[in-house]
Amino acid sequence: MGFARTCSVALVGVEGVVVEVQADLEPGVAAFTLVGLPDKSLTESRDRVRAAVVNSGGAWPQKKLTVGLSPASVPKAGSGFDLAVASAVLGASERIDPGVLADIVMIGELGLDGRVRPVRGILPAVLAAADAGYEQVVVPECAAAEASLVPGVSVLGVRSLRQLIAVLTDEPVPEEEQDAPGRPDPLLAGLRAPGTGETTGMHGLGAAQHEPGHDLADVVGQRAARTAVEVAAAGGHHLLLEGPPGAGKTMLAERLPAVLPRLGRQESLEVTAVHSVAGLLPVGKPLIDVPPYCAPHHSATMQALVGGGPGIARPGAVSLSHRGILFLDEAPEFSGRALDALRQPLESGHVVIARSAGVVRFPARFLMVLAANPCPCGRFSRRDALCECPPSAIRRYQARLSGPLLDRVDLRVEVDPLTRAELTGRGARGESTATVADRVREARARTAARLAGTPWRVNGEVPGRELRRRWYAASGATEEAERQLERGVLTARGLDRVLRVAWTVADLAGHDRPDATDVAVALQLRTGIPQGVPAVVGAPV
């Protein structure tokens, strides 16, 4: 009787559970039994592993073979267990020393010819192995750079099962044939999830995806909207841009990622882990260090936005935009059920999805930007009478964005239609993206110094109770905002959000604490009601 064990990782959302893969050989009729709550793709590994071992020069044991995945109560899905199963079988048949396998975590899919193919979720799997105390990990060669992002773990990248056997048995490592330069790597085929390419708006690139010619200086006029974009970037505040078609709402949203600072090390690992599970990591770029930008179409379902799907839930748009931007263009055209599902992640910063296969938790700390027309035809305005929509149609259209959802949006700005003089004028351009980005970085540095030692990173995350207990505005600065609360213009949550925005405005202006002008600007950006102060931060445009 032969027995061997090694380890792999089962992913539940973006969290991993180390699974012990055990192989047992007993005398009897040759059979291969796989137990431990495997799914269909894992059950099929029996045929893949048998063919890979034989085609790699190994002898398949002609005995009763049982492979167990422990703990058996955890659902296992995917083909990433193939490499561990094959190694355990070879250890049980004494082709590999079983003692060598016990403390190694193996992740990878096997082709029928023995090549090791990458799988989704390499980074969170290696993170789980490191948290469990394992120091050696074997992954596909093309995913070794991603696995090496985890400190304190020795990573071995292999291209085939033959190479792994040679390394573990101290034999000469065979050279695998490399593909000709310029040809697509067949090992990467199928790794990216279908329907998630760069043309779908569901990819993981942020500022790097935009053409170098895209600049905030290209936006004509729109002083209040430009200010709102800067405040949103500096404080992580959600933003609603409302105005007629062609006024520049999408232009402003597309230029917002370049204003945001690059991600820190921990933030980059969080974002990369989500995109690794979703199969969205850019080829040749294992670490995402720019804020992601996700712009789903308005026909997206609730599952596409918040996550879900059959079987084990997959991350949705709110998780793919974690630490970045979720842009919902034509927001009233989204289904009301899908929009209202955003209310919980907007407050908590994560999504919890309960399914029969288990409960999954995805991170979802994103900056939401909504763009909406004022009416079905888009021409309704307080200034002009070009709109022909009946008042009832306008009310129904605007009511598609529910009050509880809008109450969670810190900044609401009306984007006015451009005049002929503004569009054709040859005057001075607005501030460039680089200028605004420098001011945002300085404001975030002030915020970070103030919030040091707390779990919050930007003003948009600070609870209202802390703003009232620990960080006070200047004396008398909040009187007008409190009057707006008494009149019913602001809710209690709305008052807290005005205070958050006021702190961001103060950080951008270099003030130690918000004064009456900072609060007035914040109140104007929140309600859209003029407060007698220009909605400008920094140099006027």
Side-chain angles (χ1 to χ4, degrees):
M1 182 178 70
F3 177 83
R5 60 186 178 89
T6 187
C7 295
S8 190
V9 178
L11 288 178
V12 182
V14 292
E15 299 175 355
V17 178
V18 176
V19 173
E20 188 176 71
V21 180
Q22 304 169 345
D24 178 70
L25 285 174
E26 296 180 355
V29 178
F32 188 172
T33 304
L34 183 64
V35 297
L37 212 58
D39 72 340
K40 180 65 174 177
S41 61
L42 182 51
T43 303
E44 293 175 349
S45 69
R46 294 178 299 183
D47 299 320
R48 291 194 300 270
V49 168
R50 181 186 290 109
V53 169
V54 173
N55 290 328
S56 298
W60 186 258
Q62 298 302 312
K63 295 181 180 180
K64 181 181 178 182
L65 171 62
T66 303
V67 173
L69 308 176
S70 179
S73 59
V74 177
K76 289 87 177 178
S79 56
F81 294 86
D82 289 3
L83 196 58
V85 171
S87 299
V89 172
L90 291 171
S93 62
E94 299 183 351
R95 177 66 177 87
I96 300 175
D97 183 4
V100 176
L101 299 173
D103 296 326
I104 301 178
V105 175
M106 301 186 181
I107 306 161
E109 175 186 334
L110 285 175
L112 300 184
D113 57 355
R115 289 183 299 173
V116 182
R117 304 174 62 94
V119 293
R120 301 173 194 167
I122 290 289
L123 177 60
V126 178
L127 284 170
D131 291 340
Y134 289 88
E135 299 179 351
Q136 291 181 300
V137 176
V138 178
V139 298
E141 184 183 59
C142 51
E146 180 183 347
S148 299
L149 296 173
V150 181
V153 176
S154 175
V155 177
L156 171 62
V158 294
R159 192 171 179 84
S160 68
L161 182 60
R162 285 182 292 271
Q163 289 185 340
L164 177 61
I165 295 173
V167 171
L168 297 180
T169 57
D170 292 329
E171 298 175 358
V173 179
E175 290 292 334
E176 295 293 338
E177 182 180 354
Q178 299 290 333
D179 294 311
R183 292 185 59 188
D185 190 345
L187 295 181
L188 299 177
L191 183 58
R192 180 178 290 275
T196 54
E198 296 186 7
T199 59
T200 62
M202 300 290 286
H203 50 93
L205 299 181
Q209 72 155 344
H210 300 284
E211 298 179 6
H214 285 187
D215 196 285
L216 266 178
D218 301 333
V219 181
V220 178
Q222 309 301 358
R223 177 183 300 183
R226 289 172 57 94
T227 299
V229 166
E230 182 175 347
V231 172
H237 305 288
H238 306 303
L239 171 64
L240 168 64
L241 299 171
E242 185 177 25
K249 303 186 295 295
T250 303
M251 285 183 65
L252 287 164
E254 289 177 343
R255 284 152 177 77
L256 180 55
V259 179
L260 293 173
R262 286 187 171 269
L263 301 177
R265 177 70 178 183
Q266 182 60 36
E267 294 172 329
S268 296
L269 290 177
E270 294 174 6
V271 173
T272 303
V274 175
H275 286 77
S276 177
V277 169
L280 293 174
L281 285 183
V283 177
K285 187 176 177 60
L287 182 68
I288 297 177
D289 58 355
V290 295
Y293 176 84
C294 191
H297 191 261
H298 59 74
S299 61
T301 62
M302 184 180 72
Q303 289 77 14
L305 284 181
V306 301
I312 297 180
R314 296 290 183 183
V318 297
S319 298
L320 297 178
S321 55
H322 178 61
R323 300 297 179 188
I325 296 170
L326 175 65
F327 176 46
L328 303 182
D329 200 4
E330 305 293 346
E333 300 296 338
F334 284 79
S335 72
R337 186 164 171 258
L339 289 175
D340 286 337
L342 299 176
R343 286 151 56 176
Q344 184 260 340
L346 284 174
E347 286 292 323
S348 63
H350 62 266
V351 175
V352 178
I353 303 172
R355 292 290 186 270
S356 59
V359 178
V360 177
R361 185 180 187 272
F362 292 115
R365 181 73 66 183
F366 57 92
L367 195 164
M368 182 178 68
V369 180
L370 304 174
N373 293 327
C375 67
C377 76
R379 295 182 293 178
F380 176 75
S381 174
R382 300 172 185 173
R383 300 179 181 179
D384 304 317
L386 300 176
C387 176
E388 298 179 355
C389 300
S392 59
I394 297 176
R395 286 195 299 270
R396 283 195 302 270
Y397 188 80
Q398 294 180 347
R400 294 181 181 179
L401 298 178
S402 66
L405 176 64
L406 290 179
D407 200 34
R408 290 166 167 82
V409 178
D410 298 355
L411 310 172
R412 308 175 192 173
V413 179
E414 184 173 348
V415 182
D416 297 322
L418 296 175
T419 64
R420 177 181 178 181
E422 289 175 328
L423 192 59
T424 61
R426 299 179 180 273
R429 303 174 69 196
E431 289 181 309
S432 66
T433 295
T435 301
V436 176
D438 289 341
R439 198 157 55 236
V440 167
R441 280 193 294 271
E442 293 174 0
R444 287 216 175 189
R446 296 187 185 97
T447 304
R450 183 173 64 254
L451 300 180
T454 70
W456 312 297
R457 305 182 184 185
V458 292
N459 292 319
E461 300 176 2
V462 181
R465 65 179 183 276
E466 299 295 332
L467 294 176
R468 292 187 292 270
R469 294 176 184 174
R470 299 176 60 177
W471 297 293
Y472 303 97
S475 177
T478 61
E479 290 182 358
E480 180 60 28
E482 293 168 356
R483 283 195 290 268
Q484 298 283 11
L485 175 65
E486 294 177 350
R487 295 171 187 164
V489 177
L490 290 176
T491 62
R493 180 191 287 119
L495 178 60
D496 290 343
R497 294 184 179 274
V498 167
L499 294 177
R500 294 177 185 175
V501 175
W503 271 106
T504 302
V505 174
D507 288 335
L508 286 167
H511 300 161
D512 293 335
R513 61 178 58 194
D515 56 21
T517 301
D518 298 329
V519 176
V521 172
L523 194 59
Q524 182 171 324
L525 293 175
R526 167 74 182 182
T527 63
I529 302 174
Q531 303 295 320
V533 295
V536 176
V537 177
V541 296

